């Protein structure tokens, strides 16, 4: 299979200092332009499946892919950002928040397929802030599940996810250090029965220089 790890477009939090960030921001004006460029270009990948994080910034990015490909993204909680859906920041403490619930996602993104575990309580259900250790185990689980689900196929799957989770996922099989991925960057991973290989990292062919940002 070919797996494409796509970081969401620039969110409002990306453009704010830590103490002003909110639990589930949408996209900035720059982010909307990035997502639009990604949507116009994404057809070159001939994707067969799109899977997205339940955070709003990922959903908004996946929406542009859906509009240009007619693929209905699957919303899965397992590829969310490290930490989960929480308000606050480390110096003052983090408080778990519900996250978008099934009805909210289905209303705002009617073409999306929402995973069964996302119910009326929200996808994060006010759980405590997720540690990096727990996120690392989640990344391992996602890789194992991805291999089990797709390694024997010729599918071309995109994960619309987050920079930090993307790094953790790649660390499971790629030992060399990598720079932080830019917004809407596309990373290609080849997965088969023998293992996983990073084929291309932080691809930005779809963005003009003035739209590139982290």
């Amino acid at each position: 299979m070919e797996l494409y790890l796509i970081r969401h477009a620039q969110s409002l939090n990306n453009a704010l200092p830590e103490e002003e960030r909110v639990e589930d921001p949408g996209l900035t004006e720059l982010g909307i332009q990035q997502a639009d460029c990604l949507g116009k270009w994404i057809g070159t990948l001939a994707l067969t499946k799109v899977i997205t994080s339940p955070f709003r910034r990922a959903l908004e990015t996946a929406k542009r892919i859906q509009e240009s490909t007619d693929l209905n993204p699957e919303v899965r909680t397992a590829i969310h950002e490290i930490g989960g859906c929480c308000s606050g920041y480390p110096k003052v403490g983090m408080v778990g928040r519900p996250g978008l619930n099934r009805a909210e996602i289905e209303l705002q993104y009617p073409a999306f397929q929402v995973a069964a575990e996302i119910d009326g309580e929200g996808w994060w259900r006010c759980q405590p802030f997720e540690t990096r250790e727990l996120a690392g185990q989640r990344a391992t689980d996602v890789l194992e599940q991805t291999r089990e689900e797709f390694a024997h196929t010729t599918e071309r799957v995109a994960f619309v996810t987050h920079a930090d989770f993307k790094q953790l996922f790649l660390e499971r099989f790629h030992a060399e250090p990598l720079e932080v991925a830019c917004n809407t960057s596309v990373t290609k991973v080849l997965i088969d029965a023998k293992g996983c290989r990073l084929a291309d990292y932080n691809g930005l062919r779809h963005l003009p220089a003035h739209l590139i940002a982290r």
Side-chain angles (χ1 to χ4, degrees):
M1 72 166 299
E2 294 180 8
L3 176 64
Y4 295 90
L5 303 174
I6 301 175
R7 186 186 177 191
H8 61 79
Q10 187 187 65
S11 76
L12 292 168
N13 278 1
N14 293 147
L16 290 173
E18 190 175 66
E19 63 272 14
E20 296 180 18
R21 296 179 178 180
V22 297
E23 65 198 60
D24 194 8
L27 302 182
T28 62
E29 287 299 321
L30 177 64
I32 292 171
Q33 294 179 64
Q34 292 170 336
D36 287 342
C37 288
L38 175 68
K40 292 175 183 177
W41 171 86
I42 201 73
T44 63
L45 299 183
L47 297 174
T48 60
K49 186 180 292 289
V50 178
I51 298 170
T52 181
S53 156
F55 271 113
R56 190 180 303 277
R57 53 195 183 272
L59 296 169
E60 285 295 315
T61 304
K63 182 179 178 182
R64 271 64 179 187
I65 298 174
Q66 185 270 328
E67 290 170 345
S68 63
T69 64
D70 290 329
L71 293 172
N72 295 332
E74 297 180 21
V75 185
R76 299 188 187 181
T77 61
I79 59 173
H80 69 77
E81 179 60 296
I82 295 173
C85 188
C86 297
S87 61
Y89 57 100
K91 286 185 179 180
V92 301
M94 306 293 289
V95 178
R97 302 295 296 151
L100 291 170
N101 63 35
R102 171 176 290 274
E104 290 169 333
I105 296 173
E106 291 178 341
L107 177 64
Q108 297 173 50
Y109 309 96
F112 289 24
Q113 301 172 23
V114 183
E117 70 264 21
I118 302 176
D119 58 19
E121 297 183 29
W123 68 267
W124 187 244
R125 300 182 181 183
C126 299
Q127 297 175 85
F129 185 79
E130 177 192 46
T131 66
R132 193 170 186 87
E133 181 180 3
L134 288 174
Q137 182 57 57
R138 176 164 56 87
T140 297
D141 293 343
V142 169
L143 177 57
E144 291 177 356
Q145 181 181 351
T146 301
R147 293 186 66 181
E148 180 179 347
E149 188 173 356
F150 299 113
H152 61 287
T153 75
T154 57
E155 296 250 32
R156 301 164 69 92
V157 181
F159 285 176
V160 183
T161 185
H162 307 265
D164 287 348
F165 182 75
K166 187 173 179 176
Q167 295 286 99
L168 277 184
F169 183 88
L170 292 171
E171 286 173 8
R172 271 52 224 157
F173 57 88
H174 185 82
E176 298 176 15
L178 298 165
E179 64 181 357
V180 176
C182 293
N183 293 117
T184 70
S185 65
V186 181
T187 292
K188 181 179 180 179
V189 177
L190 300 177
I191 301 178
D192 58 26
K194 298 179 181 178
C196 308
R197 179 171 66 86
L198 179 60
D200 186 36
Y201 184 72
N202 205 32
L204 294 164
R205 289 176 288 277
H206 56 287
L207 287 186
H210 71 281
L211 293 183
I212 295 174
R214 286 190 169 86

